[in-house]
Amino acid sequence: MAVERNKRLLQDLLLNAENQTCADCGAPDCDWASYTLGVFICLNCSGIHRNISQVSKVKSVRLDAWEDDEVKFMASNGNSAAKAKYESKLPAFYYRPTLLDCQVLREQWIRAKYERKEFICIEKQEPYSAGYREGFLWKRGRDNGQFLSRKFILSEREGVLKYFNKHDAKDPKGVLRLEQINATFQPTKIGNPNGLQITYLKDNSTRNIFIYHEDGKEIVDWFNSIRAARFHYLQVAFPGASDADLVPKLTRNYGKEGYMEKTGPKQTEGFKKRWFTLDDRRLMYFKDPLDAFARGEVFIGSKENSYSVLDGLPPATQGNHWQYGITIVTPDRKFLFACETENERRIWMEAFQKVIDRAMLPQEYAVEAHFKHKP
């Protein structure tokens, strides 16, 4: 009787709006709970909680037997109370992962919250909030593809992230300005669970750098250091802007990536398989996903400016091996692509349409004006 009563009480707690999404990643279906922290969580996050058993002990809400005092503890806490406690001093710039993010981001977020208590004690945030960070990261060579240890320095005061090819070198091999940097986790593409892709503009073209660190905390601290530095730069650049306006500009994930076939501007050449990345309004294509530079870039504006995406290819098109075509119409020309499956075409078209439906910002007109369509 007590077991059934406790199950009903837990089910009632799950009906509260605060407990209907995972306390850590926002996923629906919170079928698990930490009975030492008082939070309801999803299956994926419960696996991470099991790895910090010294602070979090988990049970299934539906399958496990619960003691009376455990249920009372859940009732007196819950996701809102835990957030107020464990995220009380969460910096605005710190990346809060979702259910779509990779394992290292979600694990380090959970460890930072409950194990290290970084968002209760501000002094524990120094590794990513101090405005300066240096250390060694494994960086993929641009030409040979080998990952080699390189010294990196992030300096908020100088407004740069720089790296050195030799550990004792005085002059950096690369200097990346903070206002042009983006960082996004790419474990599958890089082939390492802690793989991070950093991009920046060089002569109005996008340059990629691929890095990783063996330690998950280290690479996530680097990621949040970049976000912190960009946040403080943007606060100076846009003094009237709110945190809510600035945070989405700190880093961005790509709209879509994957292989498509493409043909050249005359549309008479054969189609070639290329790796495509949709980064905001830039559609870039590469011979290899880990190339440092794109072979070409296409600017995708808004429907108000005569940009559109069409299902299929013009009737006379030849040379495509893949049958599921997409045509992007710009004021200058049409770009023809082909996908391997109908599902891939649908996902790409949804991603393109999302960009085209969004009105262009004033600064994007300047990008469009300087943009060179590369064949």
Side-chain angles (χ1 to χ4, degrees), residues 46-248:
S46 75
I48 298 171
H49 277 255
R50 289 183 193 280
N51 292 332
I52 53 168
S53 57
Q54 67 276 19
V55 294
S56 181
K57 298 193 183 299
V58 298
K59 280 187 177 183
S60 167
V61 172
R62 303 181 194 281
L63 302 177
D64 290 327
W66 285 71
E67 301 296 330
D68 292 353
D69 58 340
E70 293 168 351
V71 175
K72 284 178 184 175
F73 184 75
M74 296 302 300
S76 61
N77 287 277
N79 290 3
S80 294
K83 182 175 181 178
K85 177 181 179 181
Y86 292 104
E87 300 179 28
S88 60
K89 294 181 173 63
L90 177 68
F93 61 78
Y94 196 97
Y95 187 80
R96 178 196 291 271
T98 71
L99 71 162
L100 300 176
D101 281 302
C102 62
Q103 176 78 6
V104 68
L105 270 175
R106 289 186 293 111
E107 179 172 351
Q108 292 306 316
W109 162 244
I110 288 169
R111 287 184 179 275
K113 260 208 296 189
Y114 306 120
E115 185 180 46
R116 299 191 292 268
K117 296 183 172 60
E118 290 177 16
F119 314 129
I120 295 175
C121 308
I122 289 179
E123 59 271 18
K124 293 186 178 181
Q125 299 170 14
E126 188 181 357
Y128 44 82
S129 64
Y132 181 89
R133 184 178 177 87
E134 69 173 79
F136 292 93
L137 297 166
W138 293 97
K139 176 187 170 291
R140 188 179 191 273
R142 186 183 72 185
D143 300 319
N144 62 15
Q146 288 183 306
F147 280 91
L148 297 170
S149 179
R150 295 288 183 251
K151 182 180 179 182
F152 280 75
I153 294 178
L154 175 73
S155 172
E156 204 173 285
R157 183 177 57 81
E158 295 177 52
V160 298
L161 172 69
K162 47 193 176 182
Y163 63 91
F164 302 79
N165 266 6
K166 293 197 170 99
H167 293 181
D168 57 352
K170 291 183 180 176
D171 297 320
K173 172 68 174 174
V175 179
L176 293 59
R177 301 213 59 79
L178 287 174
E179 66 262 33
Q180 296 181 332
I181 286 180
N182 183 44
T184 179
F185 276 89
Q186 294 278 13
T188 304
K189 188 199 291 189
I190 295 172
N192 185 285
N194 301 338
L196 188 68
Q197 178 175 346
I198 295 177
T199 59
Y200 65 102
L201 288 178
K202 189 172 184 179
D203 304 323
N204 204 39
S205 290
T206 305
R207 168 78 200 274
N208 296 319
I209 292 177
F210 302 98
I211 58 174
Y212 72 87
H213 195 285
E214 298 95 332
D215 184 84
K217 180 183 185 301
E218 279 289 310
I219 198 68
V220 173
D221 282 352
W222 271 103
F223 176 65
N224 281 301
S225 296
I226 291 170
R227 287 176 61 87
R230 280 186 50 77
F231 182 62
H232 298 141
Y233 158 74
L234 290 170
Q235 282 181 314
V236 174
F238 304 99
S242 67
D243 289 357
D245 292 329
L246 298 181
V247 167

